[in-house]
Every structure is written in C-alpha cells, then in structure tokens.
CSV table of all heavy atoms in Angstrom, one decimal:
chain,number,residue,atom,x,y,z
G,1,ALA,N,-3.3,3.8,-20.0
G,1,ALA,CA,-4.0,3.1,-18.9
G,1,ALA,C,-3.6,3.6,-17.5
G,1,ALA,O,-2.4,3.8,-17.2
G,1,ALA,CB,-3.6,1.6,-19.0
G,2,VAL,N,-4.7,4.0,-16.7
G,2,VAL,CA,-4.5,4.4,-15.3
G,2,VAL,C,-5.5,3.5,-14.5
G,2,VAL,O,-6.6,3.4,-14.8
G,2,VAL,CB,-4.8,5.9,-15.2
G,2,VAL,CG1,-4.7,6.3,-13.7
G,2,VAL,CG2,-4.0,6.7,-16.1
G,3,LEU,N,-5.0,3.1,-13.4
G,3,LEU,CA,-5.7,2.1,-12.5
G,3,LEU,C,-6.3,2.9,-11.3
G,3,LEU,O,-5.6,3.6,-10.6
G,3,LEU,CB,-4.8,1.0,-12.0
G,3,LEU,CG,-5.3,0.0,-11.0
G,3,LEU,CD1,-6.5,-0.7,-11.5
G,3,LEU,CD2,-4.2,-1.0,-10.7
G,4,PHE,N,-7.6,2.7,-11.1
G,4,PHE,CA,-8.3,3.3,-9.9
G,4,PHE,C,-8.9,2.2,-9.1
G,4,PHE,O,-9.3,1.1,-9.6
G,4,PHE,CB,-9.4,4.2,-10.4
G,4,PHE,CG,-8.9,5.5,-11.1
G,4,PHE,CD1,-8.8,5.4,-12.5
G,4,PHE,CD2,-8.6,6.6,-10.4
G,4,PHE,CE1,-8.3,6.5,-13.2
G,4,PHE,CE2,-8.2,7.7,-11.1
G,4,PHE,CZ,-8.0,7.7,-12.5
G,5,ALA,N,-9.0,2.4,-7.8
G,5,ALA,CA,-9.7,1.5,-6.9
G,5,ALA,C,-11.1,2.1,-6.5
G,5,ALA,O,-11.2,3.3,-6.3
G,5,ALA,CB,-8.9,1.2,-5.6
G,6,LYS,N,-12.1,1.2,-6.5
G,6,LYS,CA,-13.5,1.7,-6.2
G,6,LYS,C,-13.9,1.4,-4.8
G,6,LYS,O,-15.0,1.8,-4.4
G,6,LYS,CB,-14.5,1.0,-7.2
G,6,LYS,CG,-14.3,1.5,-8.6
G,6,LYS,CD,-15.1,0.7,-9.6
G,6,LYS,CE,-16.6,0.9,-9.3
G,6,LYS,NZ,-17.5,0.2,-10.3
G,7,THR,N,-13.0,0.7,-4.0
G,7,THR,CA,-13.3,0.4,-2.6
G,7,THR,C,-12.0,0.6,-1.8
G,7,THR,O,-10.9,0.5,-2.4
G,7,THR,CB,-13.8,-1.0,-2.4
G,7,THR,OG1,-12.7,-2.0,-2.7
G,7,THR,CG2,-15.0,-1.4,-3.2
G,8,SER,N,-12.2,0.9,-0.6
G,8,SER,CA,-11.0,1.1,0.3
G,8,SER,C,-10.2,-0.2,0.4
G,8,SER,O,-8.9,-0.1,0.5
G,8,SER,CB,-11.4,1.6,1.7
G,8,SER,OG,-12.3,0.8,2.3
G,9,LYS,N,-10.8,-1.3,0.5
G,9,LYS,CA,-10.1,-2.6,0.6
G,9,LYS,C,-9.3,-2.8,-0.7
G,9,LYS,O,-8.1,-3.2,-0.6
G,9,LYS,CB,-11.1,-3.7,0.8
G,9,LYS,CG,-10.4,-5.1,0.9
G,9,LYS,CD,-11.4,-6.2,1.3
G,9,LYS,CE,-12.3,-6.5,0.2
G,9,LYS,NZ,-13.2,-7.7,0.5
G,10,ALA,N,-9.8,-2.6,-1.8
G,10,ALA,CA,-9.0,-2.7,-3.1
G,10,ALA,C,-7.9,-1.8,-3.1
G,10,ALA,O,-6.8,-2.1,-3.5
G,10,ALA,CB,-10.0,-2.6,-4.3
G,11,LEU,N,-8.1,-0.5,-2.7
G,11,LEU,CA,-7.0,0.5,-2.7
G,11,LEU,C,-5.9,0.0,-1.8
G,11,LEU,O,-4.7,0.1,-2.2
G,11,LEU,CB,-7.6,1.8,-2.3
G,11,LEU,CG,-6.5,3.0,-2.2
G,11,LEU,CD1,-6.0,3.2,-3.6
G,11,LEU,CD2,-7.2,4.2,-1.7
G,12,THR,N,-6.2,-0.4,-0.6
G,12,THR,CA,-5.1,-0.9,0.3
G,12,THR,C,-4.3,-2.0,-0.3
G,12,THR,O,-3.1,-2.0,-0.3
G,12,THR,CB,-5.7,-1.3,1.6
G,12,THR,OG1,-6.4,-0.2,2.3
G,12,THR,CG2,-4.7,-1.9,2.6
G,13,ARG,N,-5.0,-3.0,-0.9
G,13,ARG,CA,-4.2,-4.1,-1.5
G,13,ARG,C,-3.5,-3.7,-2.7
G,13,ARG,O,-2.3,-4.2,-2.9
G,13,ARG,CB,-5.2,-5.2,-1.8
G,13,ARG,CG,-5.8,-5.8,-0.5
G,13,ARG,CD,-6.8,-6.9,-0.8
G,13,ARG,NE,-7.4,-7.5,0.4
G,13,ARG,CZ,-8.3,-8.5,0.4
G,13,ARG,NH1,-8.8,-8.9,-0.7
G,13,ARG,NH2,-8.8,-8.9,1.6
G,14,LEU,N,-4.0,-2.9,-3.6
G,14,LEU,CA,-3.3,-2.4,-4.8
G,14,LEU,C,-2.1,-1.5,-4.4
G,14,LEU,O,-1.1,-1.6,-5.1
G,14,LEU,CB,-4.3,-1.7,-5.7
G,14,LEU,CG,-5.4,-2.6,-6.4
G,14,LEU,CD1,-6.4,-1.7,-7.0
G,14,LEU,CD2,-4.7,-3.5,-7.4
G,15,ASN,N,-2.3,-0.7,-3.4
G,15,ASN,CA,-1.1,0.1,-3.0
G,15,ASN,C,0.0,-0.8,-2.5
G,15,ASN,O,1.2,-0.5,-2.7
G,15,ASN,CB,-1.6,1.1,-1.9
G,15,ASN,CG,-2.3,2.3,-2.4
G,15,ASN,OD1,-2.2,2.6,-3.6
G,15,ASN,ND2,-3.0,3.0,-1.6
G,16,GLU,N,-0.3,-1.8,-1.8
G,16,GLU,CA,0.7,-2.8,-1.3
G,16,GLU,C,1.4,-3.4,-2.5
G,16,GLU,O,2.6,-3.6,-2.5
G,16,GLU,CB,0.1,-3.8,-0.4
G,16,GLU,CG,1.0,-4.8,0.2
G,16,GLU,CD,0.4,-5.8,1.1
G,16,GLU,OE1,-0.8,-5.8,1.3
G,16,GLU,OE2,1.1,-6.7,1.6
G,17,MET,N,0.6,-3.8,-3.5
G,17,MET,CA,1.2,-4.4,-4.7
G,17,MET,C,2.1,-3.4,-5.4
G,17,MET,O,3.1,-3.8,-6.0
G,17,MET,CB,0.0,-4.9,-5.6
G,17,MET,CG,-0.7,-6.1,-5.0
G,17,MET,SD,-2.4,-6.3,-5.8
G,17,MET,CE,-1.9,-6.8,-7.4
G,18,ILE,N,1.7,-2.2,-5.5
G,18,ILE,CA,2.6,-1.2,-6.1
G,18,ILE,C,3.9,-1.1,-5.4
G,18,ILE,O,5.0,-1.1,-6.0
G,18,ILE,CB,1.9,0.2,-6.1
G,18,ILE,CG1,0.8,0.3,-7.2
G,18,ILE,CG2,2.9,1.4,-6.3
G,18,ILE,CD1,1.3,0.5,-8.6
G,19,ARG,N,3.8,-1.0,-4.0
G,19,ARG,CA,5.1,-0.9,-3.2
G,19,ARG,C,6.0,-2.1,-3.4
G,19,ARG,O,7.2,-2.0,-3.4
G,19,ARG,CB,4.7,-0.8,-1.7
G,19,ARG,CG,4.2,0.6,-1.4
G,19,ARG,CD,4.1,0.8,0.2
G,19,ARG,NE,3.3,-0.2,0.8
G,19,ARG,CZ,2.0,-0.1,1.0
G,19,ARG,NH1,1.4,1.1,0.7
G,19,ARG,NH2,1.3,-1.0,1.6
G,20,GLU,N,5.4,-3.3,-3.6
G,20,GLU,CA,6.1,-4.5,-3.8
G,20,GLU,C,6.5,-4.8,-5.2
G,20,GLU,O,7.1,-5.9,-5.5
G,20,GLU,CB,5.3,-5.7,-3.2
G,20,GLU,CG,5.1,-5.6,-1.7
G,20,GLU,CD,4.2,-6.7,-1.1
G,20,GLU,OE1,3.6,-7.4,-1.9
G,20,GLU,OE2,4.1,-6.8,0.1
G,21,GLY,N,6.1,-4.0,-6.1
G,21,GLY,CA,6.5,-4.1,-7.5
G,21,GLY,C,5.7,-5.3,-8.2
G,21,GLY,O,6.2,-5.9,-9.2
G,22,ARG,N,4.5,-5.5,-7.7
G,22,ARG,CA,3.7,-6.6,-8.3
G,22,ARG,C,2.6,-6.2,-9.3
G,22,ARG,O,1.8,-7.0,-9.7
G,22,ARG,CB,3.0,-7.4,-7.1
G,22,ARG,CG,4.0,-8.1,-6.3
G,22,ARG,CD,3.4,-9.1,-5.3
G,22,ARG,NE,2.7,-8.5,-4.2
G,22,ARG,CZ,1.4,-8.7,-4.0
G,22,ARG,NH1,0.6,-9.5,-4.7
G,22,ARG,NH2,0.8,-8.0,-3.0
G,23,ILE,N,2.7,-4.9,-9.7
G,23,ILE,CA,1.8,-4.4,-10.8
G,23,ILE,C,2.8,-4.1,-11.9
G,23,ILE,O,3.6,-3.2,-11.9
G,23,ILE,CB,1.0,-3.2,-10.4
G,23,ILE,CG1,0.0,-3.6,-9.3
G,23,ILE,CG2,0.3,-2.7,-11.6
G,23,ILE,CD1,-0.9,-2.5,-8.8
G,24,SER,N,2.6,-4.8,-13.0
G,24,SER,CA,3.5,-4.7,-14.2
G,24,SER,C,2.9,-3.6,-15.1
G,24,SER,O,1.8,-3.6,-15.5
G,24,SER,CB,3.6,-6.0,-15.0
G,24,SER,OG,4.3,-5.8,-16.2
G,25,LYS,N,3.8,-2.6,-15.4
G,25,LYS,CA,3.4,-1.5,-16.3
G,25,LYS,C,4.3,-1.4,-17.5
G,25,LYS,O,5.5,-1.3,-17.4
G,25,LYS,CB,3.4,-0.2,-15.5
G,25,LYS,CG,2.4,-0.1,-14.4
G,25,LYS,CD,2.5,1.2,-13.6
G,25,LYS,CE,3.6,1.2,-12.6
G,25,LYS,NZ,3.7,2.3,-11.7
G,26,THR,N,3.7,-1.5,-18.7
G,26,THR,CA,4.4,-1.4,-19.9
G,26,THR,C,4.0,-0.1,-20.7
G,26,THR,O,2.8,0.2,-20.8
G,26,THR,CB,4.1,-2.6,-20.8
G,26,THR,OG1,4.5,-3.8,-20.1
G,26,THR,CG2,4.9,-2.6,-22.1
G,27,TYR,N,5.0,0.6,-21.2
G,27,TYR,CA,4.8,1.8,-21.9
G,27,TYR,C,5.3,1.7,-23.3
G,27,TYR,O,6.2,1.0,-23.6
G,27,TYR,CB,5.5,3.0,-21.2
G,27,TYR,CG,4.9,3.5,-19.9
G,27,TYR,CD1,5.1,2.7,-18.8
G,27,TYR,CD2,4.2,4.7,-19.9
G,27,TYR,CE1,4.5,3.2,-17.6
G,27,TYR,CE2,3.6,5.1,-18.7
G,27,TYR,CZ,3.8,4.4,-17.5
G,27,TYR,OH,3.2,4.8,-16.4
G,28,TRP,N,4.7,2.5,-24.2
G,28,TRP,CA,5.2,2.7,-25.6
G,28,TRP,C,5.7,4.1,-25.7
G,28,TRP,O,5.0,5.0,-25.2
G,28,TRP,CB,4.1,2.4,-26.6
G,28,TRP,CG,3.9,1.0,-27.0
G,28,TRP,CD1,4.5,-0.1,-26.4
G,28,TRP,CD2,3.1,0.5,-28.0
G,28,TRP,NE1,4.1,-1.3,-27.0
G,28,TRP,CE2,3.2,-1.0,-27.9
G,28,TRP,CE3,2.2,1.0,-28.9
G,28,TRP,CZ2,2.5,-1.8,-28.8
G,28,TRP,CZ3,1.4,0.2,-29.7
G,28,TRP,CH2,1.6,-1.2,-29.7
C-alpha cells in the first residue's frame, strides 16, 4: 500500500499527519 493525494489541500494535511505520526503503517 502506497498513499497518494489528489488535491493540494489533502497533500498538505496528509504530510502534516505523517510528520506527527498520525498515519499508521503496518508491514509484513
């Protein structure tokens, strides 16, 4: 799984969530 943003607003908010550790990523 790879996450992409389709709008600049979504990208800004998702980048902030990445920096703050608010996107959970699980690997096998």
Side-chain angles (χ1 to χ4, degrees):
V2 181
L3 175 59
F4 295 90
K6 294 174 62 180
T7 66
S8 58
K9 179 170 72 172
L11 180 61
T12 298
R13 293 179 179 178
L14 289 167
N15 281 340
E16 181 180 0
M17 292 162 65
I18 284 281
R19 288 193 298 270
E20 296 175 351
R22 293 191 288 123
I23 296 182
S24 175
K25 292 179 282 186
T26 301
Y27 287 76
W28 278 4

